[in-house]
Amino acid sequence: MNTPFRSSPVHADPGVATAEQGVVMLDGPNGVAVAMTPFAAEATGQSLIAAARTAREQPDDAS
């Protein structure tokens, strides 16, 4: 399998989520900030967990 092209570094630090006035805010590395509805945040969280499980089973070519 080919390694996908990475245009930015792979980060090891997690993002931090908060809720403000019914909106979920996600602050991530390098100043990444995303505002989402509760539905979008929950679906994103589930998708991230599924992808993390899959990634753990793959070879680590990030180093």
Side-chain angles (χ1 to χ4, degrees):
M1 178 186 309
N2 292 336
T3 302
F5 174 77
R6 292 188 178 122
S7 61
S8 61
V10 176
H11 299 281
D13 297 327
V16 176
T18 58
E20 298 178 20
Q21 300 178 339
V23 175
V24 177
M25 307 294 292
L26 176 62
D27 293 317
N30 281 357
V32 170
V34 179
M36 293 180 263
T37 65
F39 171 80
E42 188 172 18
T44 299
Q46 292 169 350
S47 177
L48 283 167
I49 290 167
R53 287 181 181 142
T54 300
R56 281 193 185 107
E57 298 171 359
Q58 297 173 342
D60 182 8
D61 293 333
S63 50

